[in-house]
């Protein structure tokens, strides 16, 4: 009895210490993401009832700024917990900047977030408050602009994360555009980004979708990158990629393009235009007013387009702007543009492998540019016509005399093997032929000659079992299939590394042709005669 009681007491003590730890404000574990570790609870999607104000908007190194976190009237919603940090306004995923001193140590305490001591302020107990004040001291190496952020807990399960506060700038530095913490999104004048984006913080305090997987837009010029960070009642997006005309992303309820919430970063000369749009069906997206986007900024360097903006989680009376607290598939696309007018994307879009709540917990997302159903189409056709057909032809051509009397289920072995391989070819071809139509729900106008040759192959495949009268010459279907295979490797939906795959395919076909040639020489006794002649000549010469 003593042992179970001991285990129970230890368990209760551990739980009490965990709860006490959170209520005491010792939340350094949340410094990076500013998200409380509260058993899977997500930030509230409703507008924050709290605000951050400062007593000055300009500073010099060493200056002090009073920061006030409050629940203004008329709601005056009290809060039980909070975490306040100051971060580089140009990179909100960076470590906390500067240090704080306390105004009332009985209700607030200092935390060490990152390498700097006293770089954050949190609560000391679960007692409710309606206002907290602290003094921020600007460091000697302060960035040009600093933004204050706060995570505020009304109770254990209801909280608002990274509520954006005012941006303060060093004297003589023009402040970047900012979104007030308690207002809804409005228009802002686009500004230039000072530095490239970074993947630092992906999966910890922001969600990221990247191609290639794990790339960093700050160092990899081939990196297509989308990140989004939940900040209070808004979400901040960062989009980057090498493109001649535009990069874009879309939010979709399914993996089909159409009826999607689209955002475009389009190059127009030496400028980048950032616009929301809506794609109705598989049509050109229609641009919409930019008023729903704020904190708009962009950067254009060495053929890489980067843009960032922020928008509210909910935008009332606008059905084309989806609520960001719902689940979506994410599309990432790019293409060319002329004078700000975009053209169809020149690669298959990158589509996230699963749905994601945009305002949800930070996560590293994965995606694919090639639908699985198209991969099956290519694999089945390759197996059927490059492997099974060639083997079946070799068996029928060269093994009749090798197995003249051996039978299997009442038929000669070579015939049973040949018939089995060809029957399997017909089955795989029929299955594979239907997959693109299932994917497209009809005929694809962009498949080109590959689709036409595929239909020719299908006709020959159906006619083959009908009998010798309707059977085409044995090489006709194979020639059409080989041509269709090479054309299929260039399809956008399959997304193969064309030079490598082309070389492998040519190698396999050459191997099959070489095997057939050697068997033909062997059957005609030419191989043995040739080897004897060669060795006779070799011995006579040396």
């Amino acid at each position: 009895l003593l042992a179970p009681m001991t285990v129970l007491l230890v368990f209760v003590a551990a739980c009490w210490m965990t709860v006490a730890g959170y209520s005491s404000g010792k939340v350094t574990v949340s410094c990076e993401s500013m998200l409380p570790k509260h058993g899977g609870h997500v930030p509230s999607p409703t507008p924050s009832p709290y605000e951050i104000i400062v007593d000055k908007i300009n500073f010099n190194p060493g200056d002090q700024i009073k920061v006030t976190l409050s629940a203004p009237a008329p709601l005056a919603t009290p809060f039980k917990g909070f975490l306040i940090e100051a971060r580089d306004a140009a990179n909100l995923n960076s470590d906390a900047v500067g240090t704080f001193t306390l105004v009332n140590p009985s209700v607030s305490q200092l935390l060490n977030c990152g390498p700097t001591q006293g770089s954050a302020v949190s609560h000391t107990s679960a007692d409710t408050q309606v206002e907290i004040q602290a003094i921020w001291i600007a460091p000697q190496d302060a960035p040009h602009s600093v933004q204050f952020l706060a995570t505020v807990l009304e109770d254990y399960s209801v909280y608002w994360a990274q509520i954006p506060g005012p941006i303060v700038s060093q004297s003589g530095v023009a402040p970047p555009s900012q979104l007030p913490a308690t207002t809804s999104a409005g228009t802002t004048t686009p500004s230039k980004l000072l530095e490239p984006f970074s993947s630092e913080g992906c999966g910890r305090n922001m969600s990221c979708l990247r191609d290639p997987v794990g790339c960093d837009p700050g160092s990899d010029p081939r990196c297509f990158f989308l990140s989004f960070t939940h900040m209070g009642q808004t979400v901040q997006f960062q989009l980057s990629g090498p493109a001649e005309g535009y990069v874009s992303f879309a939010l979709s309820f399914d993996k089909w393009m159409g009826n999607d919430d689209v955002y475009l970063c389009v190059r127009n000369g030496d400028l980048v235009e950032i616009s929301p749009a809506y794609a109705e069906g598989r049509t050109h997206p229609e641009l919409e007013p930019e008023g729903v986007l704020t904190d708009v900024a962009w950067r254009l360097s060495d053929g890489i387009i980067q843009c960032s903006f922020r928008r509210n989680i909910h935008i009332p009376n606008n059905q084309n702007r989806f609520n960001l607290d719902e689940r979506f598939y994410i599309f990432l696309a790019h293409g060319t543009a002329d004078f700000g007018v975009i053209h169809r994307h020149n690669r298959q879009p990158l589509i996230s492998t699963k749905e994601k709540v945009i305002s949800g917990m930070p996560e590293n997302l994965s995606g694919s540019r090639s639908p699985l159903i198209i991969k099956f189409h290519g694999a089945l056709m390759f197996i059927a016509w490059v492997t099974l057909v060639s083997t079946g032809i070799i068996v029928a051509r060269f093994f009749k005399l090798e197995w003249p009397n051996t039978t299997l289920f009442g038929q000669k072995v070579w015939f049973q093997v040949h018939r089995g391989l060809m029957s399997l070819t017909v089955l795989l071809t029929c299955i594979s032929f239907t997959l693109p139509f299932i994917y497209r729900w009809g005929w694809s106008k962009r498949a080109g000659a590959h689709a036409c040759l595929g239909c020719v192959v299908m006709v020959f495949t159906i006619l083959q079992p009908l009998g010798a009268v309707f059977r085409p010459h044995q090489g006709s279907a194979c020639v059409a299939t080989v041509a269709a295979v090479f054309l299929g490797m260039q399809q956008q939906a399959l997304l193969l590394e064309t030079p490598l795959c082309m070389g492998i395919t040519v190698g396999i076909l050459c191997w099959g042709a070489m095997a057939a040639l050697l068997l033909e020489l062997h059957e005609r006794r030419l191989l043995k005669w040739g080897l004897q002649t060669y060795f006779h000549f070799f011995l006579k010469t040396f």
Side-chain angles (χ1 to χ4, degrees):
L1 179 63
L2 182 59
M5 287 297 296
T6 303
V7 173
L8 179 61
L9 289 174
V10 171
F11 176 76
V12 171
C15 293
W16 180 86
M17 290 176 65
T18 301
V19 174
Y22 286 126
S23 63
S24 66
K26 303 295 186 180
V27 291
T28 53
V29 67
S30 299
C31 281
E32 286 190 11
S33 65
M34 298 190 72
L35 294 173
K37 311 300 181 181
H38 283 188
H41 293 290
V42 298
S44 173
T46 61
S48 167
Y50 309 106
E51 68 176 2
I52 308 170
I53 58 176
V54 294
D55 63 348
K56 63 176 70 174
I57 60 173
N58 295 108
F59 68 89
N60 292 311
D63 284 357
Q64 297 184 357
I65 297 178
K66 180 184 289 187
V67 182
T68 303
L69 171 65
S70 64
L75 296 178
T77 306
F79 52 89
K80 293 184 177 181
F82 63 91
L83 176 63
I84 303 174
E85 294 183 21
R87 294 189 179 183
D88 184 350
N91 181 14
L92 294 178
N93 297 318
S94 61
D95 291 330
V97 174
T99 58
F100 286 91
T101 59
L102 302 177
V103 174
N104 187 352
S106 64
V107 296
S108 60
Q109 63 181 325
L110 299 179
L111 295 180
N112 300 334
C113 285
T116 306
Q117 294 185 349
S119 55
V121 182
S122 71
H123 53 282
T124 58
S125 68
D127 295 339
T128 58
Q129 308 290 334
V130 292
E131 182 178 283
I132 291 292
Q133 290 185 337
I135 304 298
W136 180 75
I137 303 174
Q140 294 299 318
D141 58 348
H144 294 307
S145 297
V146 173
Q147 183 168 22
F148 294 96
L149 305 174
T151 293
V152 185
L153 288 79
E154 181 180 340
D155 56 39
Y156 183 83
S157 59
V158 180
Y159 67 91
W160 290 262
Q162 291 191 347
I163 300 172
I167 296 178
V168 296
S169 302
Q170 292 197 43
S171 300
V173 176
S177 59
Q178 64 175 345
L179 175 65
T182 58
T183 62
S184 60
T187 59
T188 59
T189 302
S191 60
K192 283 192 175 183
L193 294 167
L194 300 178
E195 297 180 354
F197 297 144
S198 171
S199 62
E200 182 181 357
C202 285
R204 297 195 308 272
N205 47 13
M206 62 181 180
S207 296
C208 299
L209 177 62
R210 293 175 278 180
D211 181 33
V213 176
C215 67
D216 186 347
S219 57
D220 187 352
R222 303 175 298 111
C223 184
F224 290 93
F225 173 83
L226 172 67
S227 72
F228 42 95
T229 307
H230 184 190
M231 305 182 69
Q233 72 272 33
T234 66
V235 173
Q236 183 183 39
F237 293 92
Q238 294 180 336
L239 179 62
S240 173
E244 297 179 3
Y246 70 94
V247 290
S248 66
F249 73 92
L251 307 178
S252 179
F253 290 105
D254 52 42
K255 289 191 174 183
W256 299 94
M257 294 184 65
N259 303 322
D260 302 328
D261 185 1
V262 182
Y263 298 88
L264 300 162
C265 299
V266 186
R267 179 175 182 175
N268 188 359
D270 294 330
L271 303 176
V272 175
E273 299 173 348
I274 305 171
S275 305
Y278 184 77
E280 184 175 353
R282 301 178 66 86
T283 59
H284 194 284
E286 296 183 5
L287 300 182
E288 297 193 351
E290 302 177 14
V292 298
L293 307 182
T294 59
D295 284 3
V296 179
W298 58 270
R299 183 174 182 269
L300 188 61
S301 176
D302 299 327
I304 298 176
I305 300 174
Q306 294 189 331
C307 62
S308 69
F309 59 87
R310 192 183 295 181
R311 59 148 284 193
N312 282 351
I313 294 176
H314 297 95
I315 300 179
N317 304 320
N318 191 334
Q319 296 181 350
N320 294 342
R321 302 279 75 81
F322 299 160
N323 293 332
L324 301 184
D325 55 359
E326 299 181 33
R327 306 182 69 88
F328 303 102
Y329 289 102
I330 304 173
F331 287 62
L332 192 59
H334 69 283
T336 59
D338 292 322
F339 304 103
V341 179
I342 68 171
H343 302 290
R344 184 181 184 272
H345 47 78
N346 47 23
R347 289 181 67 190
Q348 189 79 1
L350 179 72
I351 305 175
S352 61
T353 54
K354 65 177 184 178
E355 296 172 292
K356 169 64 179 172
V357 178
I358 305 302
S359 61
M361 300 295 289
E363 185 178 358
N364 266 316
L365 302 173
S366 60
S368 173
R369 294 185 184 270
S370 179
L372 185 61
I373 192 171
I374 298 300
K375 292 179 180 178
F376 273 111
H377 164 74
L380 292 178
M381 280 294 191
F382 194 89
I383 292 172
W385 288 93
V386 176
T387 304
L388 299 182
V389 168
S390 58
T391 305
I393 292 174
I394 288 175
V395 169
R397 174 67 181 84
F398 299 108
F399 285 82
K400 290 181 181 180
L401 299 179
E402 298 295 330
W403 302 325
N405 300 317
T406 307
T407 60
L408 179 66
F409 300 116
Q411 295 285 347
K412 293 183 178 181
V413 171
W414 73 265
F415 179 74
Q416 293 285 46
V417 173
H418 171 76
R419 182 168 61 179
L421 291 174
M422 292 307 179
S423 299
L424 187 56
T425 297
V426 173
L427 176 62
L428 294 183
T429 302
C430 291
I431 295 174
S432 178
F433 183 78
T434 61
L435 295 182
F437 290 95
I438 295 174
Y439 173 68
R440 291 290 184 183
W441 290 102
W443 180 265
S444 174
K445 298 179 180 179
R446 300 184 180 275
H450 171 75
C452 298
L453 287 175
C455 292
V456 173
V457 171
M458 191 65 214
V459 170
F460 285 155
T461 302
I462 296 299
L463 292 178
Q464 188 83 4
L466 297 182
V469 176
F470 301 99
R471 183 183 303 161
H473 187 273
Q474 65 178 5
S476 302
C478 292
V479 171
T481 303
V482 170
V485 166
F486 283 104
L487 290 172
M489 288 190 294
Q490 302 176 21
Q491 295 296 308
Q492 272 195 18
L494 199 53
L495 194 69
L496 296 175
E497 296 183 11
T498 304
L500 176 62
C501 293
M502 190 78 71
I504 293 175
T505 304
V506 170
I508 293 175
L509 293 176
C510 290
W511 175 85
M514 184 63 68
L517 177 61
L518 291 176
L519 288 171
E520 185 71 28
L521 293 175
H522 174 71
E523 184 182 46
R524 297 175 181 273
R525 310 295 182 183
L526 295 177
L527 184 62
K528 182 178 180 181
W529 175 83
L531 290 174
Q532 289 177 345
T533 303
Y534 172 78
F535 282 116
H536 177 73
F537 175 78
F538 180 82
L539 294 174
K540 184 177 179 180
T541 303
F542 297 97

